[in-house]
């Protein structure tokens, strides 16, 4: 299996929304991308604002673009802001330096895609991404 | 209700995929946008190629941009190809001159959003979009 | 006077909408730009679709970009479609090869700006642009 | 009524300019957008510089993109400058981190659009946006 299936993408989204309900978070948008950075599934809850799909996609695709989670891109941005700004201009879908975007891999370590969540505090967004990955049997990379 | 809810978007996608199974179509990608052209829900079936999300989005957003279905934009393109090319350059998400993108409205005529389907022959794509609209209680505009 | 004033822009829009009511046209969008191609005034009637502001601006700015009306750009597009497509890609706000975009000048011939109208048949759009120019004491160039 | 009408947009602009005259502000540009971020009405006072339409649009569309006023985006930018830069690269019309862009809603809380004002100090720009919203019977969100 070299990519995320739509069935897995749907499971990710349902489980992430389930976690968000438990945590009583604000309306979220969740994007699931394949390893090439192309959308497999995306869902925006009612009341989630206009750019949320773009932010969810960029959290996930930026993670794939750089090979690290968007949380790590956020840490990178504190040390080297100009570098991260420069990447934003190169990455066709952008790069978001805040938690909530995680790369997901198979048991054998093959990268299968990424999940991006946005709408609440970025730490909470990431909790939902991790819950989604787990429910779909995907290993989230740190 | 002045826009498509995520619940409606999910119903659209499930019903459109259901119609596609009946018609034994190739793998599809389906996008549901709100009236402003922002994604509410998107799903890409396994085997649907990389640009399919972009095409599904552009079929739907192009319809909203011009106020007619992407089928009508296709007819426009036969008569005035350079005009439609010019619109492609202006529209931020592009414009696709082929059937499969339909505007959906409430009973009272208010535009609520649009559905874009791509992956099979464009006539078949449109059949799935219409089935999705109907299942969600949305009126598809011609 | 080397540019269009906001007062003139407002007059253009009111007179163009007045002409549209007489002709019973569909909902229009009207853009008035200064000679540099920057918006002075823009109005979109209820029911005019999402890309109409972009089309109105591009009809007007494309006319200024090339120094001829968008009707002439439409004629150019019939003879040399690839050339006009190429211009679309260069012009930052695009170029629309259809009537409805006219350059306006002072009595002494100084170019003051342009008017772009979209929403109905392009010949009707142009009638409204011309009515707007006349009401504001501006000379529309052919 | 699920969006701002042109009549409301015109009222917003007149009232905002009226407030600016009382406060003896510099020349302003005012944009009124629908909930999807598409222009309903825009006016640039004589002497307001070339990019003012783009700034007014981005103050308003950035607010809609993120679901908060451009003043709050400005506060966000002080804490997390690289994050806000990253959003600028994703948002098709940009994001302006300074007061003057406010989301407007109906009495029942439905988002109807946004107002963006630019040209004077951003606190003054916002006063004019709020005066415009009030005159048109729109509720400005904080």
């Amino acid at each position: 299996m070299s990519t995320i299936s739509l069935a897995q993408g749907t499971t990710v989204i349902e489980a992430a929304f389930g976690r968000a309900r438990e945590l009583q978070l604000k309306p979220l948008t969740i994007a699931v991308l394949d390893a090439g950075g192309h959308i497999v599934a995306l869902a925006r809850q009612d009341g989630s604002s206009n750019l949320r799909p773009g932010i969810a996609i960029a959290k996930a695709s930026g993670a794939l673009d750089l090979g690290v989670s968007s949380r790590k891109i956020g840490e990178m941005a504190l040390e080297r802001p100009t570098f991260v700004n420069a990447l934003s201009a190169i990455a066709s879908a952008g790069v978001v330096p805040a938690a909530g975007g995680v790369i997901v891999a198979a048991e054998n370590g093959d990268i299968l895609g990424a999940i991006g969540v946005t709408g609440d505090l970025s730490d909470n967004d990431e909790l939902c991404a991790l819950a989604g990955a787990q429910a779909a049997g995907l290993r989230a990379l740190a």
Side-chain angles (χ1 to χ4, degrees), chain A:
Chain A
M1 196 58 179
S2 63
T3 189
I4 291 182
S5 65
L6 175 54
Q8 284 177 306
T10 303
T11 299
V12 166
I13 287 173
E14 285 172 3
F17 283 150
R19 190 81 184 98
R21 273 191 301 274
E22 289 169 7
L23 298 170
Q24 303 191 309
L25 305 187
K26 294 190 209 160
L28 299 184
T29 297
I30 302 175
V32 180
L33 310 186
D34 66 21
H38 305 287
I39 308 173
V40 171
L42 190 148
R44 176 161 65 114
Q45 289 186 309
D46 303 349
S48 193
S49 60
N50 291 351
L51 191 61
R52 294 294 167 190
I55 296 172
I57 292 167
K59 280 190 179 180
S61 70
L64 290 164
D65 280 343
L66 301 181
V68 297
S69 69
S70 67
R71 170 183 293 280
K72 288 208 173 156
I73 300 173
E75 293 165 5
M76 222 185 269
L78 289 176
E79 291 173 20
R80 299 188 289 165
T82 313
F83 177 67
V84 172
N85 285 341
L87 299 180
S88 285
I90 298 171
S92 60
V95 163
V96 173
V102 296
I103 296 175
V104 291
E107 288 304 315
N108 68 1
D110 283 356
I111 289 176
L112 299 181
I115 302 167
V117 179
T118 182
D120 203 281
L121 297 177
S122 59
D123 284 349
N124 291 335
D125 294 341
E126 192 184 54
L127 289 175
C128 296
L130 296 175
Q134 188 175 24
L138 299 165
R139 193 150 61 84
L141 304 186

